[in-house]
């Protein structure tokens, strides 16, 4: 289909020996490391899933770092992080590091992290481990602190239906914009958690792929650990709901917005001014969230409206421990793909 | 011996269900959590030990946090951290948090962490997890960021030989001052890694115990995560060696100092000004490292000089990956106790 000669090998990065074998055979110039449990609500369901999330993500990345050192120390590790590592501090968020002036002295230090779930914390742990490995072993790595991805189509997926991306709208692996589109199409109110002032970085799925490409094409030097804040715009949750409402109404849908008690522990009104300059400097030309895009998402969702499972949309996983007991039967466990929260 | 009624239960904190059972039965007001792999060199030996260190420490602490939430949410978690979490930044080190003024805005943020081994990183990961658990679940915790402990005796150990502390002088679980005392007594040169300008916080084993007691007697409020920098003095490694040399010579020992190539990746000359005020404010009266103490350590080591294993003293574990392959047979695997590095 693409004319490119590609190869697929399935392996488990938690098994170190297998990872070394793959690297020995292929000797890559770059590794794009997406192999992690990617859901915040999943990590908050219960004890077992919290521990699974952190051990899986941390040990997997440690294995990759060690295998790089042993087999291909010049290889560039492109790692998927998350904007959620920073939390919502009351100062500007820089890209990975902060220049601090304190009591008359200066240093550039890792940006302080205040992650809001065991999943987001697993990425914080990864970041600290990778920084150390770059310093101690002269590895090179780019950490892509990604915002929330939206969008369904890329040039590649349009070539063949079988290349369609996964689309998550459930409470565990879904993201707010996807959920709102589904709710608008099937006639349910858009559910905003709490006040809806939670502001986050967002980017189009096309830009996600371009960012990874830009990182790979512009490798850091040996020993360098760099962080790119990978998003193109910020929105708050209520603002997103209102955009979907407007676009839905243009399509003749009757769309209501409903505020739910927030199942998460997070600030619902806060300062948020994250920098996102490095990828733009490398040539990223953002696809911004426009009426046209929202419109096409709603139409695409409408094609599959008959397949929507209503019972998996509302939040049952709660951060504060007062949660309703969640069981596998109630939740959608489909393995997630590129969607980061 | 003490007249106190104590109980011992052996369990494995990596087994969550067992932990819940113990907490249900005892319902403690405070937990002093020492259950972690405590050696930096051990964590750098090879892949398996790096992953073991991080998974063991992180999952163990996650289990404790979750069990607290489920069983005794008001219980005070006293957790052993390390001064090594901070690394050696070019600004003053505060106790856990840093007041940042940046581009005209202010916040108090977790102090940026730059740990220097997979062991120290495991404590960084713990700190982030505990901070989150206190915020999300209103748990209360004190993180004791401990310096290097020295000293052999406490009032309790003097009551009975069987209460003697462990004493580690080997390359993996030992600390510099212990090693220097042993080398002075058995006539080997004191081995300083690199230039010896590495400065660290130190404290007497008597003060370690008093700090834990002070933390327990003064619990934080629900939801509070506080950090105490638990040391009383700072020394650099060469300075320590020179002190041991002087005291050794007073006892008639011929003591030389030898600089070895540094097996670690660390700054050998750096700024170091960590705050340590909170424990003093709670009433800690430090036992400082005096000639008398060094003298008594050397005499005590001399009693057991015939049992010293010379072959486990010199460093073989290297941070840069160029290490000599280390085998179990070469290293001392005795389980460590209170000694933190």
């Amino acid at each position: 289909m693409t004319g490119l000669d590609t190869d697929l090998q399935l392996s488990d990065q938690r098994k170190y020996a297998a990872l070394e074998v793959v690297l020995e055979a292929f000797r890559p110039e770059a590794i794009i490391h997406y192999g992690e449990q990617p859901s915040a609500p999943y990590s908050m369901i219960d004890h077992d899933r919290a521990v699974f999330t952190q051990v899986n993500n941390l040990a997997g990345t440690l294995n990759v770092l060690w295998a790089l050192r042993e087999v291909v120390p010049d290889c560039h590790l492109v790692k998927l992080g998350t904007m959620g590592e920073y939390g919502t501090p009351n100062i500007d968020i820089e890209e990975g590091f902060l220049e601090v002036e304190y009591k008359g002295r200066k240093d550039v230090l890792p940006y302080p992290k205040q992650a809001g779930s065991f999943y987001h914390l697993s990425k914080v742990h990864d970041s600290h481990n990778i920084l150390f490995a770059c310093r101690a072993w002269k590895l090179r790595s780019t950490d892509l602190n990604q915002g929330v991805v939206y969008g369904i189509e890329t040039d590649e997926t349009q070539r063949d239906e079988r290349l369609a991306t996964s689309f998550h709208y459930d409470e565990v692996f879904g993201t707010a914009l996807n959920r709102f589109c589904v709710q608008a199409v099937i006639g349910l109110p858009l559910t905003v958690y709490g006040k809806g002032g939670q502001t986050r970085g967002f980017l189009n799925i096309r830009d996600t792929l371009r960012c990874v490409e830009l990182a790979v094409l512009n490798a850091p030097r040996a020993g360098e650990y760099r962080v790119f804040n990978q998003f193109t715009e910020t929105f708050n949750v209520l603002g997103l709901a209102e955009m979907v409402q407007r676009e839905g109404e243009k399509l003749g849908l009757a769309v209501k917005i409903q505020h739910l008690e927030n199942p998460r522990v997070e600030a619902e009104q806060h300062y948020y001014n994250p920098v996102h300059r490095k990828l733009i400097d490398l040539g990223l030309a953002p696809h911004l969230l426009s009426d046209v895009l929202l419109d096409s998402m709603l139409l695409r969702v409408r094609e599959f409206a008959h397949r929507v499972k209503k019972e998996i949309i509302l939040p049952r996983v709660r951060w504060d421990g007062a949660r309703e007991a969640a069981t596998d039967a109630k939740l959608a466990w489909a393995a997630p793909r590129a969607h980061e929260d």
Side-chain angles (χ1 to χ4, degrees), chain A:
Chain A
M1 212 152 37
T2 61
L4 297 173
D5 184 22
T6 57
D7 185 27
L8 174 67
Q9 297 200 26
L10 294 177
S11 190
D12 185 340
Q13 74 191 12
R14 290 172 301 178
K15 300 203 164 71
Y16 178 70
L19 198 55
E20 269 203 1
V21 168
V22 172
L23 292 189
E24 285 283 7
F26 191 72
R27 306 199 72 82
E29 291 168 44
I31 290 180
I32 300 161
H33 174 20
Y34 269 36
E36 302 206 320
Q37 192 296 95
S39 162
Y42 182 94
S43 75
M44 299 304 295
I45 291 175
D46 58 20
H47 164 269
D48 288 358
R49 293 184 178 91
V51 173
F52 166 77
T53 298
Q54 290 213 347
V55 169
N56 178 72
N57 293 3
L58 175 131
T61 299
L62 265 180
N63 283 350
V64 170
L65 291 170
W66 213 284
L68 283 171
R69 190 191 90 163
E70 293 293 323
V71 184
V72 279
D74 283 331
C75 177
H76 172 199
L77 174 63
V78 179
K79 166 68 167 55
L80 193 61
T82 166
M83 286 298 295
E85 293 181 40
Y86 300 115
T88 53
N90 196 40
I91 60 169
D92 289 1
I93 294 173
E94 298 291 335
E95 300 194 71
F97 294 86
L98 182 67
E99 193 175 329
V100 178
E101 187 167 346
Y102 188 67
K103 295 188 179 175
R105 301 183 61 87
K106 281 186 186 178
D107 203 350
V108 178
L109 298 171
Y111 197 97
K113 299 293 177 70
Q114 300 181 102
S117 76
F118 287 119
Y119 155 69
H120 291 102
L121 284 158
S122 77
K123 299 278 191 174
V124 172
H125 306 338
D126 278 345
S127 296
H128 283 95
N129 282 344
I130 300 170
L131 169 61
F132 170 71
C134 288
R135 288 191 177 166
W137 299 338
K138 302 290 176 226
L139 301 184
R140 61 185 92 216
S141 180
T142 305
D143 205 339
L144 298 173
N145 279 0
Q146 185 167 264
V148 184
V149 178
Y150 62 81
I152 304 180
E153 296 190 334
T154 69
D155 292 347
E156 292 77 16
T157 66
Q158 287 174 335
R159 296 188 190 189
D160 191 308
E161 276 289 330
R162 291 171 299 173
L163 295 177
T165 63
S166 58
F167 180 79
H168 300 280
Y169 57 91
D170 65 284
E171 60 145 343
V172 173
F173 293 109
T175 51
L177 186 59
N178 288 1
R179 180 173 78 241
F180 295 155
C181 288
V182 168
Q183 289 171 323
V185 163
I186 65 174
L188 291 177
L190 315 190
T191 46
V192 169
Y193 297 172
K195 297 195 184 86
Q198 305 92 315
T199 307
R200 299 290 184 268
F202 286 78
L203 78 167
N204 190 298
I205 191 169
R206 292 173 189 270
D207 292 337
T208 292
L209 298 172
R210 176 67 176 149
C211 289
V212 172
E213 184 183 20
L214 286 169
V216 171
L217 293 174
N218 299 275
R221 64 175 191 283
E224 186 183 358
Y225 169 73
R226 66 182 181 186
V227 179
F228 295 165
N229 289 349
Q230 181 172 311
F231 69 96
T232 59
E233 298 170 274
T234 61
F235 297 103
N236 70 40
V237 174
L238 181 59
L240 277 182
E242 289 170 346
M243 287 172 71
V244 172
Q245 185 177 43
R246 275 197 307 276
E247 285 311 301
E249 286 172 351
K250 283 190 206 164
L251 295 175
L253 302 167
V255 183
K256 288 206 167 62
I257 292 175
Q258 182 184 357
H259 290 263
L260 294 187
E261 190 195 354
N262 194 343
R264 303 185 178 208
V265 176
E266 63 186 1
E268 293 176 8
Q269 303 286 357
H270 57 86
Y271 180 75
Y272 199 63
N273 189 29
V275 168
H276 53 116
R277 192 176 300 125
K278 293 184 186 176
L279 282 159
I280 302 289
D281 289 347
L282 288 179
L284 177 66
H287 297 76
L288 299 181
L289 179 58
S290 64
D291 298 348
V292 178
L293 188 279
L294 262 186
D295 185 77
S296 75
M297 275 184 75
L298 287 166
L299 291 173
R300 184 80 170 147
V301 169
R302 195 150 68 174
E303 283 181 55
F304 297 96
H306 60 287
R307 283 167 49 180
V308 168
K309 294 179 184 155
K310 292 183 186 179
E311 69 279 10
I312 64 175
I313 297 176
L314 293 182
R316 273 164 300 224
V317 182
R318 295 178 58 97
W319 263 232
D320 66 1
R323 76 194 182 289
E324 186 185 336
T327 65
D328 286 32
K330 280 188 189 165
L331 298 165
W333 299 122
R337 297 280 290 282
H339 298 270
E340 275 296 315
D341 181 334

